[in-house]
Structures are given as C-alpha cells and as structure tokens.
Amino acid sequence: MKNVLPLSAFVLVLVAGTSSTGHAQVLTEANYDQLVPSGKEVDAIYGDYAIGNKSAKAVIAAPIATRNANMTVRSVGGCLLDLAVTEHESDQLSVFYPGRRKFPFAQISNKTGTVVVTSPGSDKRPKCEVTYRMNSNQPIMDITSTWTNTTNSDWTLALEDDIRADGGKEDMVKSPNGTHDLFYFHDIFWQQAYGVRADGFRIRTNSNSRESILTYQAEGGHAVIMKPGESFTLSRQMIVGKNQAEVMAIADELSGRPRCESVRLSIDDSSQTRVVGARMEIRSASGSRGTIVSDSTGFAETRLPPGEYTVKYIVDGVAVSEQPSLDLTVRANNSQTSLHNLPKLHRGQIAARITDGEGHPIPAKVEFKGNGDTPTPDWGPETAEHFVRNLAYTANGKFETALREGTYDVIVSHGPEHDAVFTKVVVEAGKTAELNASLKHSVQTPGWVSSDFHSHSSPSGDNTGSQKGRVLNLAAEHIEFAPCTEHNRVSTYEHHIADLGLKSFMATVSGMELTGSPLPLNHQNAFPMKYTPRTQDGGGPVTDGSPETQLERLALWDDRSEKLIQQNHPDMGWLFYDKDGDGTSDGGYSRSFPMMDVVEIHPIDHILKREQFDSRNGKAFNNNRMLNWLQLLNQGFRIYGVVNTDAHYNFHGSGWLRNWIQSSTDAPAKIDHKEMVHASEQGRLIMSNGPYLEATFAAGGKSCVSGQELTASDGKVEVRVRVQCPNWFDVDTVFLLVNGKVAEDFQFTRTDHADKFTDGVVKFDQTLNLTLKEDSHIVVVTGHQTEVLGDVMGPQGGAQHPAALTNPVFVDVDGNGFTPNKDTLEFPLPVKFKKP
C-alpha cells in the first residue's frame, strides 16, 4: 500500500498575508467581557482561550476531558466553541470538532494570535496537533491539523470534521447534502452565518437538524495513508459573517474569483417608508446567495460578485406576493445602493398600551391572527424574544410594530388570574392603529403566588430558545416565582429580570435540572443552588447512572444546603416499584425516596378521568402518573405533587401549567425563595392549568390547607371549596377524592347540581361536610369535562381541559396517627411501562 501523491501535495498553504496581529489569551474574570463574543449560543468559561481580531471573536475550549459546553454538546476540549463577527455579534455555533472527535486533546499552548492544541500519539493512534490562527484583518479562522503516525503500521487517515449547530426550531439554512467547495450554514433570524473551505479539497457534507459531518476529498479522490513516522497537514478556513452572502463573498475571494462588490438594499412600502426587518432572498442563475435582513435603518448590506440577480422579499414572515421578485444588477468596481419601491405593500403601525384593571402597565402576551384575506404575521422563530411567530411579548405593557394593512383578530392576556381581551384591530396604510387593553385582575389569590418550577432555554443544550425570551414568556403569563432550571448547569434569570425591568413582577432563584441516565427517568430539579458564573456547569454537580446516587449528589451539594428536590416526569412504576424494569416489583429506587420533596404528576387534566394508562390516538404510551400518585399515597408514600410546563421554546411555552404556593407576601419582589421551598416541601401547593382552586379543611376546632394533617375523632371534616376563573374558560365539575376514590355524594356537575355553580368569576363556593370511617387523605379536584382552555394558551396548552387539584390533607380518625389503607384503586400497582 502506498500514498498516491507525495505528502507535500496535501499540505495546504495559508492565505498570503495572514500573519496574525490578533490576540490569544486565557479567559479570566478581568478579560472575559472584552474577549468573548455575544450571542445566545456562547458557552465560554474561565480557562478557555480567546482569539480574535478587529473582525471576529472566537473561543477555543480548554482541552480538559470533562469540558462540556452543555448537556448535549459534550467533550469540546480543544475545539472551536464560539465564533461571531464583530459587526454583529450573535454566536450561533455550538462547536466545531476538528478531526470528528477521534483525537482527544490534552495539551494547549498559545502565542500572539495563535492557539495550539495537541492530542498525544500512541502505538494505537496518531498524534494530532491543531493550530487555530485568526486572519489578521478578516473574519476567518485558519484551522490547521497535523497528524503524525506514532503507530507501527500504515495509517489511513480520515479527513473529517463535524459541526454542531442546531436549526430544528430556527430559520437556519445549511448546504444541501452533497459535495461542495464551500460548506455553509446561516441562521437568518439571529443573523450569523458560517462557512468552511479548504484549498485543494472539495467537502462532502451530510447534515441533519443538529449535526453536519464534513469529509474532505482531495482533487482526484486520493486516499491519505501515513507510514510510521510520517506526518500530514490539512488546512481549512472557517469564515463567519452576518449573512450567507457575506460568507460566500469571502470564500469567493479566497478562491481567486472576481472581487465582490458592496451592495446595500432596501424596500419602501406604499407610504415610501423603508421597511425594517424585511428579508431579501438573493438568487442568481447559479443558485442562492442567501437571505439578508434590513436593519433598524431599513437597509441590508452585503457583498455580491458582479452579475444578474433576482431578489424576493418577505415582510413579517409573509412573501410579498404582489411582486414576487425584482431584478438586481451588480457591476464590477461599483458599490451601490438599490432602493426598491413596492407600491402594493400597504403597511401601517400598531401602538399597544396594556394595563391592569387599575391602569398600571403590566407584562402581557398579544396574539395577532389575520382576519379574512389579511395574512397572519410570522415575526420570528420559536426561539425569539419580543416577537415570536404571531405573538408579541411586552415587559412593560408597551410595544410598537409595523403590520400589513388589514384586519386582525387580537387576544391580549396576562395569565389565568386576569381576564383576557378579545378584540379586532384595523391597520390602515401609513397610519397608526392604537391597541389599548385593560386586563382586569378578576381572580383574587391573596396569600398564594403562582410558580413554574421547570423551564429551559438554550443553555440547556437540548433547545435553542433565547433565555431572555423565556423570562419574557414567564412574566407575560404572570408567573410570579420562576427558578432557573437549565439542564446540567446552574444558571440564573436575574440579569434578564433586571434588564427587562421585571423585578416587581417576578422573583427567581438559581437552580438546575440534573439529567442523567437512564432516560427518561433520571431527571431531577433542585433549587436554590449556588451559581458560580462562567465555570463548568455553573458550579453544579455532574450526573450519575444511578438515580439514587444522582439524587444524593444533589441533596449533598453546596455543603448539604437546604433545597427543594423535584423528581421530574417519572415513570412511577419504574421509579417506585420496578428498578430493573423486568415487569416484577422489586422495591424500585428506594434509596432515593427520602430525598424527593415533590414529584411531577402532569398531564393534569387526566385527574378528571383516572385510567390505568395515558393514551394517544387510542394507544397506551405511558403509565398514568395521576392514578399512580394516588396509589402511592394509599401505600404510605407521602410525596407531594407539582405540575410544570417543562417549556423549551417561547411560543406559548410557559403559562399553561402552574402551581399556586402559599406565601406570606403577594408582592413578587418580596418573595423569599426559602419560604417557597418550605411551603412546597409541606404540600401547601395547588396544581392547575388555569382554575384557581381554594380549599380549607377543618376538624376538631382546627383548620388547615393542603399538605397538612388533621385529627377528626368523630370522622367529621368540613371542606370549604372555592373556584375562580377569568373570562376565557370555565369549570363544570368539582369533586372530592377520598383515598383516591370519588367520594359518594361529593361529585358535583353543572348539569346535575346547577344550584351550586355560578357564572361569575367565582364558579363554585360551597362548604362540604364529610364523614370519614377510616384514616383518609382528601384531594379536591375541579375542571371541565368537555371544554378546553382555548386560544389564549396556544395550540398545546389550549388543547387541555381546565383542571386543578389540591395536594392531599391527611385525616387521622382513630387518634393513632395516619395509617394508609393500601388500596390500589382497582388497578395493579405499576411496574415499568412497556408499550403493548
């Protein structure tokens, strides 16, 4: 076997004049803000290496075996982690893995403008040295890999890299699978594009929504075979720009093609007003040059080679169908501005002012739907912030935006304690339509605050949603206490709350979700957790393959600090009864039981119809957590229930599930997270997807709320039940569960007990006198059997039936302490679910 070409033929020469004048420094507290680019996908920490010039900033992860960017972007040591152009810092790169993760880097060195990482060779694997150098004045990272065969045999070298850039919920374009001179990907909304090229090679690419594999094919298709002691060098450039057209322009120039010319485009609407945020898709006879977006001045700038182009315009997510494309000619040595007037593009303005019932500005969610022939806007992807698809989020009750002329159906809301406003707005070209909405705080909840214990955004690694957008979503839905619970890292919402002016509306605390294996069982949330910013995992613990060990690790973390530990969305049978998953009860993960404070038991509306399994499309897909939880209570497990959205994206993501927690203050700015922990640990918490359910229990001259104990020596318990709803949904059912079963004579419906229900804000307000014959736990339930929450909560949450339930109250009848009755509720105790 022999090399087809001499090794020297494969050594790629760097672009002339690239002696670097940039910087290369270890990141510290003193220089982090200066050297690290901005962007929602930034994962740099102290100890990583920054390298940059006037055109771009980049970060190389420290070559440590445990260096992970986030939960799913792992083993990044020695890799290109963050990269953004300084003209518009918006890092959208998760990681560039040189060598496709086959050479673990263990050493690093840096000089002025250069970072070198090394994977030591052995008798089983070649040595690999990667040099990162920033071009002196362009947004180009030169990446050079040199392999040396340290083995005793010939080594066939696979010339491969892979890139992680998640585009599943983004407006992201990637090179089509196939072979190219340039591989590119471009996030149009977040306006950052990347390209990879290598002189002397074509790049065969294979991409999915997350990963792209790049295979470098030498001209002629020759294999690279290194004999013992021989070396081989591959050089490639990674280009970053604001848009795909700019990346392609740089690549053209590096390849010796004609110089690209600066082009500045804009469009006017019928009122001769430049359109901000317009998308301009540029194509030539040879294919797409990408999409550029007009900035706050109404202009979009890029560079194009001389030639003929067509430009297609998209405004507010809707193609300008009256004029599908316009012609553009780019001439050599002639930078130009091209202004296109679209007389049929009729746009006006919306000016919104949203207040509570007393005239005070409040955060809000505003949904726009085109009426009749009017198109529905689509402002941005589900990862966005203030404008997400057809939603506008406001932190202070105000926003202004341009909209196509027409009539819009509008829903203005602020969670289920407030009435929603359903209205129409007519937008006329060149005019401003006012949207004034007063959201009455109709549902009163004194002494209880709303919370969601489980939310995610891009730092979690399994989604790309903006964390700032998550906070806006939470506040607009009137979540008053929201711990930050990103996957596998401690993080915080505090800076977003401060920047958005939301301190009077929402409290928070640092926390995390520790997500290990086996999945989906081994997920636990914990808060408060000590946040150590810009360190690996924010200072949090690592995962473990044992749910018991992982829970213990969380409990002991931060010097055994007090924290709420929540078991997330478990298979109850697997967790509590069937550890090895063989379908036979074996005691489950019993070592973890004492450390669990609360457990997620949603889907919440399944409490209205308790069946053995949850079903989708008529097929069982999981054990029914609600039923299983009631069975657990009967077996003596005293673990309280919670419901949370587990939101990952910002389109109606938060708000459709919540907990109301007993609190000594109704002012979010005064909420004490320790009080929230204690109240939750004690079950003083109501679960809901909308209805506000109040329940107090009295016996023997004492009263309490959910989660507590009562002694009723005569078996008589007085239960006061009160249900409130805003104007956009209703309840038609109230019932008591005693030891998990509907209590005879205590199931009420609007159809059969119309005298007990009303049509105002208060839907039900009754005192129920219950006589118990044995120790019993009591859960109060309300909901609607046929109607759903509807459009206010979006397509996912809106499809749920309104429902709410209390945590149990434990009533001791015989005076010997509470004794569970061991009833299994006519179903066998669960084991790990297996699909039929």
Side-chain angles (χ1 to χ4, degrees):
M1 192 175 289
K2 62 180 181 179
N3 290 317
V4 179
L5 290 178
L7 291 178
S8 59
F10 288 88
V11 179
L12 304 186
V13 180
L14 296 178
V15 178
T18 59
S19 57
S20 177
T21 58
H23 55 257
Q25 300 181 45
V26 179
L27 290 174
T28 66
E29 187 175 0
N31 63 21
Y32 186 100
D33 290 329
Q34 176 188 359
L35 301 181
V36 175
S38 300
K40 67 179 176 64
E41 301 306 320
V42 167
D43 288 300
I45 63 175
Y46 299 143
D48 290 342
Y49 284 70
I51 182 170
N53 59 21
K54 66 180 182 180
S55 297
K57 294 179 179 180
V59 173
I60 312 302
I64 301 170
T66 56
R67 181 72 180 96
N68 299 319
N70 51 51
M71 180 182 70
T72 65
V73 182
R74 305 179 63 79
S75 301
V76 299
C79 300
L80 176 57
L81 187 61
D82 300 316
L83 179 63
V85 65
T86 53
E87 172 197 3
H88 183 81
E89 293 183 19
S90 181
D91 175 48
Q92 300 303 312
L93 173 69
S94 291
V95 67
F96 175 89
Y97 290 103
R100 202 180 168 191
R101 314 182 211 192
K102 295 178 181 177
F103 301 92
F105 301 106
Q107 301 168 9
I108 192 165
S109 62
N110 71 303
K111 301 176 183 179
T112 302
T114 301
V115 173
V116 180
V117 296
T118 303
S119 174
S122 68
D123 59 356
K124 296 182 179 179
R125 182 174 55 210
K127 174 184 176 181
C128 180
E129 185 176 87
V130 178
T131 300
Y132 298 95
R133 179 167 56 180
M134 189 69 78
N135 183 288
S136 61
N137 57 11
Q138 293 197 76
I140 303 171
M141 175 70 76
D142 293 315
I143 306 170
T144 302
S145 298
T146 298
W147 293 270
T148 300
N149 187 359
T150 56
T151 74
N152 297 320
S153 305
D154 289 357
W155 186 277
T156 301
L157 187 61
L159 299 181
E160 296 178 309
D161 298 323
D162 65 304
I163 295 174
R164 174 72 182 268
D166 293 12
K169 292 282 189 177
E170 300 285 9
D171 298 331
M172 184 178 287
V173 178
K174 296 185 180 182
S175 293
N177 291 340
T179 303
H180 314 276
D181 293 326
L182 173 73
F183 167 78
Y184 63 82
F185 65 94
H186 176 203
D187 191 311
I188 299 169
F189 179 82
W190 293 101
Q191 296 190 59
Q192 207 79 174
Y194 302 84
V196 179
R197 65 175 298 280
D199 284 329
F201 291 83
R202 300 202 78 203
I203 306 175
R204 188 177 75 246
T205 64
N206 185 13
S207 300
N208 57 33
S209 63
R210 280 189 166 183
E211 296 176 319
S212 297
I213 299 170
L214 280 58
T215 303
Y216 301 88
Q217 298 178 327
E219 295 172 357
H222 306 292
V224 178
I225 302 170
M226 296 187 297
K227 292 186 177 299
E230 288 188 331
S231 296
F232 173 80
T233 296
L234 167 70
S235 291
R236 58 279 203 208
Q237 292 87 37
M238 190 162 194
I239 307 164
V240 61
K242 187 177 179 180
N243 53 60
Q244 177 186 330
E246 183 63 27
V247 167
M248 295 179 81
I250 295 172
D252 285 346
E253 292 163 1
L254 290 174
S255 301
R257 298 188 181 98
R259 185 173 72 91
C260 293
E261 304 297 338
S262 295
V263 176
R264 188 168 71 154
L265 304 179
S266 69
I267 59 172
D268 281 357
D269 62 18
S270 61
S271 303
Q272 296 187 327
T273 300
R274 283 200 298 268
V275 177
V276 174
R279 296 190 177 194
M280 307 174 192
E281 183 182 343
I282 305 170
R283 299 189 67 87
S284 69
S286 58
S288 173
R289 296 294 291 196
T291 299
I292 60 177
V293 182
S294 59
D295 61 18
S296 59
T297 68
F299 287 102
E301 298 186 45
T302 194
R303 292 188 297 153
L304 296 170
E308 302 294 326
Y309 299 90
T310 58
V311 183
K312 181 179 179 181
Y313 293 94
I314 299 173
V315 177
D316 300 329
V318 182
V320 183
S321 57
E322 300 88 350
Q323 181 64 62
S325 63
L326 292 168
D327 295 330
L328 172 69
T329 301
V330 177
R331 297 179 174 83
N333 303 311
N334 182 18
S335 297
Q336 65 189 84
T337 296
S338 181
L339 176 63
H340 293 158
N341 182 266
L342 301 181
K344 294 183 180 180
L345 178 58
H346 302 288
R347 299 176 91 222
Q349 289 283 125
I350 287 279
R353 300 292 183 270
I354 301 158
T355 61
D356 62 15
E358 298 178 355
H360 305 299
I362 57 171
K365 177 178 71 177
V366 185
E367 180 172 16
F368 291 84
K369 289 185 178 180
N371 183 286
D373 294 333
T374 303
T376 296
D378 188 0
W379 286 299
E382 296 183 30
T383 66
E385 296 171 348
H386 287 87
F387 294 91
V388 183
R389 291 178 61 177
N390 66 329
L391 301 181
Y393 288 113
T394 169
N396 60 6
K398 300 177 182 179
F399 68 87
E400 294 186 7
T401 191
L403 265 180
R404 295 282 190 95
E405 183 178 65
T407 301
Y408 295 87
D409 296 319
V410 179
I411 303 174
V412 187
S413 63
H414 184 52
E417 291 184 27
H418 291 73
D419 285 353
V421 169
F422 302 82
T423 188
K424 291 184 185 298
V425 174
V426 178
V427 177
E428 298 181 55
K431 297 182 180 180
T432 298
E434 293 187 355
L435 172 61
N436 297 313
S438 177
L439 306 181
K440 182 181 179 182
H441 196 173
S442 55
V443 174
Q444 300 300 308
T445 65
W448 297 77
V449 295
S450 56
S451 178
D452 187 340
F453 290 166
H454 193 173
S455 296
H456 295 289
S457 50
S458 188
S460 286
D462 62 344
N463 73 95
T464 56
S466 161
Q467 193 179 71
K468 182 178 180 180
R470 165 63 53 241
V471 172
L472 268 168
N473 186 187
L474 288 161
E477 296 289 4
H478 195 213
I479 296 295
E480 296 166 295
F481 176 64
C484 184
T485 57
E486 304 292 5
H487 285 292
N488 294 1
R489 67 162 68 176
V490 182
S491 187
T492 182
Y493 292 151
E494 289 181 355
H495 56 300
H496 297 304
I497 289 173
D499 290 347
L500 292 166
L502 290 171
K503 286 190 174 182
S504 63
F505 293 98
M506 192 169 75
T508 189
V509 68
S510 297
M512 73 183 304
E513 178 177 13
L514 198 56
T515 302
S517 59
L519 294 176
L521 183 67
N522 202 7
H523 294 225
Q524 302 92 26
N525 278 15
F527 64 86
M529 299 283 286
K530 181 182 177 182
Y531 174 46
T532 308
R534 300 169 179 174
T535 64
Q536 183 66 59
D537 304 327
V542 297
T543 62
D544 195 88
S546 162
E548 292 163 311
T549 301
Q550 188 164 294
L551 267 162
E552 288 171 341
R553 191 170 292 162
L554 272 175
L556 297 174
W557 204 253
D558 294 336
D559 297 323
R560 300 173 180 261
S561 66
E562 183 177 18
K563 55 184 76 75
L564 187 77
I565 296 180
Q566 170 182 288
Q567 174 63 49
N568 290 347
H569 45 68
D571 179 327
M572 296 285 204
W574 190 5
L575 178 62
F576 287 96
Y577 292 108
D578 185 12
K579 182 175 183 177
D580 62 10
D582 67 353
T584 302
S585 182
D586 55 21
Y589 290 91
S590 58
R591 211 170 78 231
S592 64
F593 301 161
M595 290 170 286
M596 282 186 261
D597 296 310
V598 294
V599 62
E600 289 184 334
I601 60 174
H602 44 255
I604 190 171
D605 59 354
H606 290 195
I607 194 67
L608 301 175
K609 189 175 182 182
R610 296 158 305 287
E611 299 177 331
Q612 184 176 6
F613 301 113
D614 291 342
S615 298
R616 289 178 182 168
N617 300 320
K619 296 182 180 180
F621 76 95
N622 208 343
N623 286 318
N624 186 319
R625 291 192 200 107
M626 281 286 181
L627 170 69
N628 295 162
W629 177 62
L630 296 172
Q631 291 176 307
L632 289 174
L633 294 174
N634 280 353
Q635 307 315 303
F637 290 95
R638 191 168 297 195
I639 182 167
Y640 297 109
V642 291
V643 295
N644 303 293
T645 60
D646 191 11
H648 281 64
Y649 289 95
N650 301 333
F651 180 65
H652 296 287
S654 299
W656 55 276
L657 283 174
R658 69 188 59 219
N659 306 293
W660 271 286
I661 310 168
Q662 194 172 41
S663 172
S664 62
T665 179
D666 293 317
K670 297 180 180 179
I671 289 175
D672 181 355
H673 66 261
K674 291 183 180 179
E675 184 181 12
M676 298 294 95
V677 169
H678 296 158
S680 300
E681 289 173 336
Q682 297 164 14
R684 293 182 282 122
L685 179 151
I686 306 299
M687 298 162 275
S688 179
N689 63 12
Y692 180 62
L693 170 62
E694 299 170 85
T696 56
F697 306 82
K702 295 182 178 181
S703 65
C704 68
V705 295
S706 64
Q708 309 305 289
E709 294 189 358
L710 277 177
T711 299
S713 56
D714 57 1
K716 294 182 179 180
V717 181
E718 182 182 276
V719 184
R720 168 80 186 279
V721 180
R722 192 167 185 260
V723 182
Q724 299 178 67
C725 298
N727 67 338
W728 45 279
F729 64 85
D730 196 2
V731 296
D732 69 349
T733 300
V734 172
F735 57 87
L736 303 184
L737 292 173
V738 177
N739 286 332
K741 293 183 177 181
V742 177
E744 189 176 352
D745 299 328
F746 292 95
Q747 182 172 21
F748 308 101
T749 66
R750 280 191 182 272
T751 301
D752 296 333
H753 308 88
D755 59 317
K756 297 187 181 298
F757 289 82
T758 57
D759 294 324
V761 174
V762 178
K763 305 297 183 181
F764 186 93
D765 189 353
Q766 299 289 324
T767 298
L768 310 176
N769 293 298
L770 183 65
T771 300
L772 302 174
K773 296 180 180 179
E774 61 176 349
D775 291 356
S776 304
H777 59 81
I778 306 172
V779 171
V780 183
V781 179
T782 188
H784 204 293
Q785 297 285 356
T786 58
E787 294 182 4
V788 295
L789 288 169
D791 290 343
V792 173
M793 282 304 174
Q796 180 181 6
Q800 287 203 349
H801 298 284
L805 70 155
T806 69
N807 266 290
V809 162
F810 299 92
V811 183
D812 175 16
V813 172
D814 58 18
N816 294 324
F818 182 83
T819 302
N821 70 354
K822 303 294 184 178
D823 190 351
T824 66
L825 303 178
E826 301 176 3
F827 293 107
L829 292 174
V831 291
K832 182 181 178 180
F833 177 78
K834 294 182 180 179
K835 290 185 178 180

